[in-house]
Amino acid sequence: MVKQAPVGAHYGLRDWLLQRITAVIMVVFTLFFAGVLIGCPPQGWADWKQLFSGNFVRPLTLLFIASVLYHAWIGVRDIWMDYVKGTALRLGLQAVTAVVLIFYFIWSVAILWG
Amino acid sequence: MSPPTAQPPRQRPKYYDLNLLNLPAPGLLSIFHRISGAVMFLVLIPLLLFMLQQSLQSEAGFQQWKSWLSHPLCKLIALGFIWSYLHHFFAGIRYLLLDVHWGIKKESAQASAKAVLVLGVLGTALIGAWLW
């Protein structure tokens, strides 16, 4: 019988891999977005709104935000695992982190498609 | 031969050097990677989402953020966040390269860590010069 705490470090490879996949997505989006800001900087509100209303940039932005949030989940969870030793407190902090990140995701969808 | 005596284990000296300046470059890069990540999770993500929401909702919101960002103090705070993003960005790329065993030798790993630390500050300075 393997005894593992529900907040232990046993999600290894999948999260390790997803942390890297999301990182690559963020690098690509960062370069793309920097290119847009430098290449054809939005001249005002109309341009800015236009930029995020397209069927290309809008879903791409959501993909970027989703990557940020999942990446943040793994990173913040690692921080709790390193510094918070009590299972109850760690579970509480991880739960709060997860809820906050899910809220951010829903908020992002509302912003981009609202 | 004398029988083993039940002595308490000898107190070994501990050397916890918590002075960041004494860390080797890869260690400095690593702790900054963590700190910048935590700062972005706690402050930058909600702040940027709020900015995006306000700036897309109405022209007044857009102009409001534009005028706030022209304030010197806000620019200074923005530079802090920009450094956080850039350092995390470059350090992350270095980790990805280490993952595929690129530059994994001690000398090259130390050199790349120094390069990342410099790039983060340099990039921030460049964006700062453009902001002002």
Side-chain angles (χ1 to χ4, degrees):
Chain A
M1 175 87 178
V2 180
K3 283 168 95 177
Q4 284 176 321
V7 285
H10 52 95
Y11 310 106
L13 187 63
R14 189 193 59 194
D15 276 353
W16 180 88
L17 201 59
L18 269 164
Q19 193 172 35
R20 274 129 187 101
I21 293 169
T22 51
V24 171
I25 294 171
M26 288 185 280
V27 169
V28 172
F29 183 86
T30 301
L31 295 177
F32 164 76
F33 201 71
V36 168
L37 288 187
I38 294 167
C40 43
Q43 295 302 322
W45 185 61
D47 275 7
W48 182 245
K49 211 167 154 56
Q50 172 82 32
L51 177 62
F52 287 98
S53 62
N55 278 330
F56 179 66
V57 175
R58 187 151 49 181
L60 211 62
T61 306
L62 189 65
L63 176 67
F64 169 73
I65 293 174
S67 298
V68 169
L69 298 178
Y70 199 84
H71 192 91
W73 161 245
I74 300 167
V76 174
R77 193 208 59 193
D78 283 354
I79 293 179
W80 297 141
M81 287 201 297
D82 278 353
Y83 303 126
V84 181
K85 296 306 173 194
T87 302
L89 180 59
R90 193 196 281 177
L91 184 60
L93 288 168
Q94 289 194 14
V96 170
T97 306
V99 170
V100 165
L101 290 172
I102 292 168
F103 167 76
Y104 286 165
F105 182 74
I106 297 168
W107 188 19
S108 308
V109 174
I111 292 170
L112 288 168
W113 272 270
Chain B
M1 273 199 12
S2 59
T5 49
Q7 275 179 339
R10 191 166 61 89
Q11 284 289 316
R12 292 197 167 86
K14 288 177 179 168
Y15 295 108
Y16 289 148
D17 192 349
L18 295 177
N19 186 351
L20 282 184
L21 291 174
N22 287 344
L23 272 176
L28 206 59
L29 171 144
S30 174
I31 192 63
F32 283 159
H33 196 228
R34 174 158 284 191
I35 293 170
S36 58
V39 166
M40 288 192 285
F41 165 70
L42 288 173
V43 191
L44 189 60
I45 294 178
L47 183 66
L48 279 184
L49 284 177
F50 185 61
M51 270 176 73
L52 188 65
Q53 182 177 41
Q54 302 264 303
S55 69
L56 287 178
Q57 229 160 36
S58 67
E59 183 154 17
F62 179 83
Q63 296 301 344
Q64 178 75 73
W65 277 106
K66 217 177 147 182
S67 72
W68 273 339
L69 278 175
S70 60
H71 191 279
L73 187 67
C74 292
K75 281 186 188 174
L76 212 60
I77 295 168
L79 279 187
F81 289 128
I82 288 165
W83 175 81
S84 291
Y85 193 91
L86 287 180
H87 178 79
H88 209 88
F89 182 87
F90 291 126
I93 289 175
R94 176 176 173 274
Y95 283 140
L96 286 173
L97 293 174
L98 289 176
D99 283 344
V100 293
H101 292 197
W102 189 89
I104 208 157
K105 287 241 170 59
K106 191 179 173 186
E107 296 77 34
S108 46
Q110 284 187 330
S112 63
K114 279 175 193 152
V116 165
L117 289 168
V118 170
L119 271 176
V121 175
L122 205 67
T124 308
L126 270 177
I127 296 177
W130 174 75
L131 272 177
W132 259 281

